[in-house]
Amino acid sequence: MARIAKNALPVMLLVLLGSSVSAEPLPYVYTRWKQFTVADGLPNDHIFAVKAAGPHVWVGTENGLARIDKRTGEIETWREADGLPWKVVSAIDVNRKTGEVWIGLFGGGLARYSGGRFDHFTQLNSGLVNDVVYGVAVENDNVWVATTAGASRFNTLTGEWSIYTEKNAPMEEIWNYAATYNDGRVYLGVWGSGVLEFDVEKERWKVYLDPDGEMEIDLYRDDGLVHVITTGVSYVDDILWVGSYFGGSRYDGRHWRGYFNQDSGLPSDFINFVEGRSADEAWYCTDKGVGVVTDFATNTWVIYTRVPGTDSGQAVVMRDREVLKTVPMGLNIPHNYVLAADVDGNDVWIGTSKGLAWGIGEDYYAGIGGSASKASRTAATAEAGK
Amino acid sequence: MKGWIPFICALSLLAGCAKDIPSPRDPGVEAKREVSIDPDTAEVLQRINAVDAYDVPELELKAEIDYARTSDDVVPFGAEEPYRKHFLEQMEYTGPGRAIPEPAQLETVKIGFIGPIEATVSVATGGRSHEEDLGVKMLQGSKLAIEHANARGGYLKRGIPFELVVKNDNGLWGASGNEIVDMAYEDEVWAILGTIDGANSHIAIRVALKAELLMINTGDTDPTFTETNIPWVARCIGDDRQQGYLLVDYMIRKLGYQRIGIIRSSNRYGRFGVREIVDSARRLGHPIALEMAYALGRDDYTLQLERLKAANVEAIVHWGDARESAVILNQMRSMGMQQPYFASDRTISDEFVELAGDNAEGVISASSWNPNRDDAQLEAFRRAFRERFDEEPETYAAHAYDGMNMLIWAVQVAGLNRAKIRDVLAHRKQPWPGVTGDIPLSATLDDMGEVFLARFEKGDWNYLSREDLQISSGDIPVGSASGGDTASSIVE
């Protein structure tokens, strides 16, 4: 039986003081955060995946699956004893049409949770190319699975599987790391082979690589992907956001833009995951915090970190490498080693190696427009809460 | 690094039991029993033990000016300053793993081994498996290190033995990934040694990164293995980049060859093995005249050799396994091709010598170590290996012995915590004094120890260092390193 635990009471986290004040138009800064850990009912604190779907948030951990009910705060969990086929959950996507939850299992294949039942797909009982799954993406009636030895596509209507490797796709290497679908295109982040784009209608592949072809350098910042070892892909508003262990990239179909710690608000070039919110905003999950490019045009970022040695967090607003404002706050993200993120309307969910964070964006606004009044309103709201 | 004598202080950091670990220089069971912790490691230990799950210890990061000691004239796009240079500073581990306590109940301390030890058909290795001979040697070296450690008391903090968990990586469809997952989550090993095949290695280290488990490689010379920014990966064998640099320095800078041909296996070992040779030759102004690939398992290389012959090359480089190396060499000679024959380190084997016969004379191979050097530790290892397996140790066994000893040392020093095991090895400043020579780890935790050229002469391989060859590292004008030498008159 799945275990149900009551979540702890929400914690209102406040903006205490801005350590610096800027007259610059500022982006929205999340100041209300709520954390979830084992103490609150999660099966494990090491969060590998998070996916919001309606009133629920699905959480994949190193030792089990969880579903948080945002309305009640209840957490339902599944471990192997509850029917979860394998304990390490590395990826999650939800079919919005059917409600089916597709679960990537790290070394355990693929699972579908529907109607209170888990169906299990492995490389021995299905067309799944490998059991070590890094990414899952629902595309119409298909499910794409990024595995360590190629990608698989499962047609949920016909039961047909397709396998993509170096034999039939432009994968110089077959080590798939990430999968995403939006607006007719599937993108695969392939370790050592950059990003692959699959046009669903035309069934054609296109490959994006680092033009300089060298592992030890990026010759020019904006000539293409910053590196071929890609770890995350997200496609939204015709913009492709890419993460790698060597920096980030943004592609609008014509122009590339590279991001490094040296020229942006990226807290680190080691990017575990990226989630795009719009053409202007993306959340980069790194080993040293979350770097959010909030306004592409002005290269304005907000960096959320837990402050070492404290139980507090802070947000730093940056433009290029200039700090515009530092916002101390109560705890924001539970840990700076960040592995997953999902945008949930105005809210965001952040998975770290030591717990999950829910950023509540009641008065979220995009970009930096109208920021002066909205920022002061945010501060006022926080003050009122205090 | 030759002649380096570490300043070792035996600290009793493992309470009450810091007596029974041998110095790495003493592989025999009679060796002195103590935990050898140099002052720098002691400092690392103090810092990693002082943090909780939320803090990152302040550890000095290895830093380099030039990646992989690449000389200026062969760096990529040398005339252009890159926007971003990677691998010049060591990667940190910033996760919470250091706060995980040692488990209470344990009967053994498990160390993982993964390598090609069973013949099969593998997608990852390009068809029929072909590396079992190497994998079995690697396993022998690993076993011997474990047995030596256990003979000296095992894991001293608890007085329990080390246990080797052995997995095969030659299975279908990227099986190495599944095996690493099993070792991480089911067997619960503390660190892993492996693999050989480049594709399997990359699969394995991605899993090790996610599972946060140190993996040391002792047999995969693919340069890209450590070019991944994964802080959980180390290697203790000189890679094909270093071996390629030395070959190029010798062939082009010293001997002045202008038309070199390459014949290589079509798998990842051949494809990535020659990459630095191809790039360096081009950057030095003498691009490889022709590069031919062959599928594994064939005996007829007439097509490739005829084309190389027609290309009128002055020398031929082969990158592939020992058997293919011998067959290709024999066919070359039977076709009247008398060009000097250079090869990768896999050619240094009894199989090659036996198959090549008289044609082996004069062949020059790159080598990641010098097994002929006069070294008491190496001799003790050889003696122990012969006693245990009734055969001579070779490259894969010796490097595995070193790699496993490095893991065992890290476990003894750090205790049973995966992150701390990683820390003490990754931040070790002193080169590891191995039976294969000194092993200094770079910022990418790659082995930057000396590599050699081996020339087969009168029935034996003769190993030559850069010093022996009178080739220094760095920029050397092409054709002027020493002058006057030919491939058959190496300076000794």
Side-chain angles (χ1 to χ4, degrees):
Chain A
M1 286 293 291
R3 186 171 66 87
I4 298 178
K6 270 288 185 188
N7 183 41
L9 286 173
V11 179
M12 175 71 84
L13 299 173
L14 307 174
V15 175
L16 301 176
L17 280 174
S19 65
S20 62
V21 178
S22 171
E24 297 278 346
L26 297 178
Y28 181 80
V29 174
Y30 283 85
T31 55
R32 283 191 63 203
W33 292 88
K34 187 175 169 184
Q35 287 75 37
F36 300 87
T37 66
V38 169
D40 303 302
L42 286 182
N44 189 274
D45 283 343
H46 202 158
I47 312 297
F48 284 145
V50 59
K51 176 62 68 176
H56 296 128
V57 178
W58 294 87
V59 186
T61 82
E62 198 169 26
N63 191 18
L65 174 71
R67 183 179 65 188
I68 300 171
D69 189 321
K70 290 186 291 185
R71 299 161 300 190
T72 64
E74 288 184 343
I75 300 178
E76 190 170 7
T77 64
W78 294 266
R79 298 174 189 264
E80 287 176 282
D82 305 312
L84 183 66
W86 172 240
K87 61 184 176 183
V88 187
V89 177
S90 49
I92 301 172
D93 201 4
V94 177
N95 187 325
R96 311 285 167 163
K97 190 167 72 175
T98 64
E100 293 174 336
V101 183
W102 291 91
I103 303 156
L105 302 169
F106 194 60
L110 176 72
R112 170 174 55 195
Y113 182 72
S114 181
R117 186 187 80 187
F118 288 99
D119 297 319
H120 192 198
F121 306 89
T122 72
Q123 64 188 78
L124 296 180
N125 74 3
S126 73
L128 186 66
V129 67
N130 187 272
D131 286 345
V132 180
V133 176
Y134 286 91
V136 175
V138 173
E139 168 258 307
N140 300 311
D141 293 318
N142 302 296
V143 178
W144 288 75
V145 191
T147 87
T148 202
S152 290
R153 184 192 195 192
F154 177 51
N155 186 319
T156 60
L157 298 182
T158 66
E160 179 187 4
W161 287 85
S162 304
I163 291 177
Y164 300 100
T165 65
E166 82 284 6
K167 308 287 187 193
N168 58 351
M171 290 180 197
E172 185 176 346
E173 310 295 356
I174 59 174
W175 311 312
N176 285 242
Y177 220 82
T180 190
Y181 170 76
N182 195 11
D183 201 18
R185 294 179 186 179
V186 172
Y187 288 93
L188 301 174
V190 185
W191 175 287
S193 198
V195 173
L196 269 63
E197 175 187 294
F198 183 78
D199 186 310
V200 172
E201 185 181 345
K202 296 175 183 172
E203 297 209 331
R204 285 186 187 160
W205 290 97
K206 191 174 181 181
V207 63
Y208 300 98
L209 298 168
D210 177 4
D212 62 53
E214 300 291 341
M215 302 291 279
E216 65 265 46
I217 61 165
D218 190 43
L219 187 61
Y220 302 117
R221 187 188 68 182
D222 298 334
D223 62 346
L225 279 178
V226 297
H227 207 277
V228 291
I229 295 183
T230 53
T231 56
V233 283
S234 185
Y235 183 61
V236 56
D237 291 351
D238 298 328
I239 297 297
L240 175 65
W241 298 94
V242 183
S244 81
Y245 290 146
F246 300 82
S249 300
R250 178 189 185 273
Y251 182 55
D252 66 6
R254 185 177 178 87
H255 303 99
W256 286 89
R257 170 65 199 265
Y259 294 111
F260 296 101
N261 173 253
Q262 68 195 47
D263 59 24
S264 73
L266 267 183
S268 162
D269 289 343
F270 190 90
I271 298 168
N272 286 309
F273 189 84
V274 62
E275 177 72 8
R277 175 179 241 155
S278 68
D280 291 319
E281 181 177 330
W283 290 64
Y284 281 102
C285 304
T286 84
D287 63 340
K288 294 178 181 174
V290 183
V292 188
V293 54
T294 54
D295 186 58
F296 163 72
T298 59
N299 198 26
T300 303
W301 292 67
V302 180
I303 303 97
Y304 297 94
T305 56
R306 179 182 178 123
V307 179
T310 74
D311 288 332
S312 300
Q314 69 176 16
V316 177
V317 182
M318 295 180 72
R319 184 155 300 145
D320 299 324
R321 290 298 297 168
E322 179 190 0
V323 175
L324 302 180
K325 185 179 180 70
T326 301
V327 183
M329 60 184 73
L331 194 55
N332 47 25
I333 55 176
H335 200 278
N336 286 336
Y337 198 92
V338 185
L339 289 156
D342 196 28
V343 173
D344 180 18
N346 283 350
D347 296 351
V348 291
W349 293 85
I350 307 294
T352 81
S353 56
K354 203 64 181 169
L356 179 73
W358 178 11
I360 300 166
E362 285 175 330
D363 50 358
Y364 166 81
Y365 57 89
I368 54 174
S371 57
S373 60
K374 290 182 179 177
S376 61
R377 190 169 69 242
T378 301
T381 302
E383 281 294 323
K386 183 170 62 174
Chain B
M1 296 298 179
K2 295 286 177 208
W4 175 80
I5 301 174
F7 171 61
I8 300 294
C9 65
L11 300 179
S12 299
L13 293 178
L14 304 179
C17 46
K19 297 178 181 175
D20 298 330
I21 293 301
S23 157
R25 285 215 179 272
D26 303 322
V29 295
E30 300 302 321
K32 195 166 54 174
R33 297 184 168 197
E34 61 187 14
V35 177
S36 298
I37 305 175
D38 59 273
D40 292 325
T41 300
E43 176 70 15
V44 169
L45 204 53
Q46 187 271 325
R47 289 175 184 243
I48 62 178
N49 284 334
V51 297
D52 64 13
Y54 301 98
D55 289 325
V56 179
E58 289 186 14
L59 301 175
E60 186 177 336
L61 303 178
K62 298 174 193 286
E64 291 164 10
I65 298 172
D66 301 312
Y67 173 60
R69 295 183 193 151
T70 305
S71 61
D72 288 346
D73 53 0
V74 296
V75 297
F77 307 98
E80 189 82 9
E81 181 67 13
Y83 182 77
R84 184 80 168 90
K85 294 180 180 178
H86 303 300
F87 312 134
L88 298 181
E89 187 175 68
Q90 183 177 3
M91 293 295 295
E92 292 178 89
Y93 166 62
T94 59
R98 297 179 185 91
I100 300 172
E102 285 203 21
Q105 300 292 330
L106 278 181
E107 295 182 356
T108 62
V109 175
K110 294 178 180 176
I111 307 288
F113 170 92
I114 183 165
I117 53 175
E118 296 173 17
T120 184
V121 176
S122 169
V123 169
T125 54
R128 184 181 65 83
S129 62
H130 58 104
E131 292 171 333
E132 301 86 70
D133 291 345
L134 313 180
V136 168
K137 301 298 179 193
M138 193 165 81
L139 178 57
Q140 288 175 328
S142 300
K143 279 183 176 174
L144 192 62
I146 292 284
E147 289 167 4
H148 282 173
N150 284 337
R152 295 166 206 154
Y155 177 55
L156 297 175
K157 188 173 180 181
R158 304 245 186 128
I160 56 177
F162 288 98
E163 176 186 353
L164 197 61
V165 176
V166 179
K167 304 280 186 177
N168 182 47
D169 76 354
N170 255 353
L172 287 167
W173 302 107
S176 61
N178 296 328
E179 301 291 6
I180 300 287
V181 168
D182 281 350
M183 284 197 277
Y185 292 108
E186 298 282 28
D187 300 311
E188 298 182 338
V189 302
W190 295 100
I192 295 174
L193 183 148
T195 65
I196 294 177
D197 170 71
N200 275 326
S201 298
H202 274 278
I203 288 172
I205 61 176
R206 296 197 307 147
V207 177
L209 167 65
K210 209 166 184 73
E212 300 190 350
L213 185 60
L214 174 64
M215 185 158 189
I216 192 162
N217 186 287
T218 68
D220 177 8
T221 51
D222 175 355
T224 66
F225 175 76
T226 52
E227 294 175 342
T228 48
N229 267 355
I230 295 179
W232 292 89
V233 170
R235 173 162 57 190
C236 69
I237 184 170
D239 70 358
D240 289 342
R241 177 186 288 273
Q242 298 305 320
Q243 294 182 35
Y245 283 169
L246 180 54
L247 274 171
V248 166
D249 285 350
Y250 182 67
M251 292 188 298
I252 296 179
R253 294 186 200 270
K254 187 172 180 68
L255 302 184
Y257 290 143
Q258 298 185 17
R259 291 183 63 79
I260 297 170
I262 289 177
I263 181 167
R264 64 165 176 83
S265 58
S266 60
N267 61 4
R268 188 180 178 89
Y269 176 68
R271 184 160 50 105
F272 278 83
V274 302
R275 204 153 96 166
E276 297 309 323
I277 295 175
V278 171
D279 288 347
S280 297
R282 186 181 69 252
R283 288 163 190 158
L284 290 173
H286 301 295
I288 296 300
L290 185 63
E291 179 181 340
M292 298 296 296
Y294 59 82
L296 291 177
R298 295 182 182 175
D299 286 331
D300 183 6
Y301 302 94
T302 307
L303 171 69
Q304 290 87 352
L305 292 174
E306 281 183 344
R307 293 194 178 176
L308 284 165
K309 188 175 184 180
N312 195 29
V313 295
E314 299 167 276
I316 287 182
V317 175
H318 171 255
W319 221 267
D321 290 346
R323 177 183 168 279
E324 282 76 7
S325 187
V327 173
I328 288 167
L329 174 63
N330 290 343
Q331 285 188 16
M332 264 182 63
R333 298 302 187 230
S334 68
M335 291 168 65
M337 297 173 69
Q338 296 303 321
Q339 290 94 337
Y341 191 71
F342 298 88
S344 65
D345 61 342
R346 290 190 183 181
T347 285
I348 304 172
S349 75
D350 292 343
E351 183 182 22
F352 169 81
V353 171
E354 184 178 332
L355 289 173
D358 292 343
N359 289 329
E361 187 70 13
V363 166
I364 296 172
S365 288
S367 176
S368 57
W369 68 311
N370 176 8
N372 291 351
R373 76 186 194 287
D374 185 14
D375 182 281
Q377 183 188 208
L378 174 58
E379 280 312 307
F381 164 68
R382 276 213 175 92
R383 194 165 51 249
F385 195 93
R386 277 195 298 264
E387 288 173 4
R388 173 67 173 83
F389 300 107
D390 197 25
E391 61 182 274
E392 286 292 324
E394 45 67 83
T395 294
Y396 289 84
H399 284 89
Y401 184 79
D402 279 345
M404 188 57 73
N405 275 324
M406 293 167 79
L407 292 183
I408 291 168
W409 172 81
V411 170
Q412 299 280 25
V413 172
L416 297 181
N417 175 288
R418 289 174 175 175
K420 292 178 182 176
I421 291 168
R422 176 257 167 213
D423 285 339
V424 297
L425 193 63
H427 293 277
R428 181 186 167 101
K429 288 185 178 177
Q430 311 290 3
W432 179 263
V435 298
T436 59
D438 284 345
I439 302 168
L441 295 180
S442 69
T444 62
L445 305 188
D446 203 0
D447 182 354
M448 290 304 293
E450 194 170 16
V451 297
F452 300 82
L453 292 187
R455 182 167 193 257
F456 194 76
E457 301 174 300
K458 299 174 184 172
D460 282 315
W461 292 100
N462 183 25
Y463 291 81
L464 301 157
S465 66
R466 281 185 178 271
E467 185 179 353
D468 297 329
L469 295 164
Q470 299 177 14
I471 303 173
S472 62
S473 292
D475 297 338
I476 310 159
V478 172
S480 66
S482 178
D485 293 337
T486 67
S488 59
S489 64
I490 292 176
V491 175
E492 297 180 31

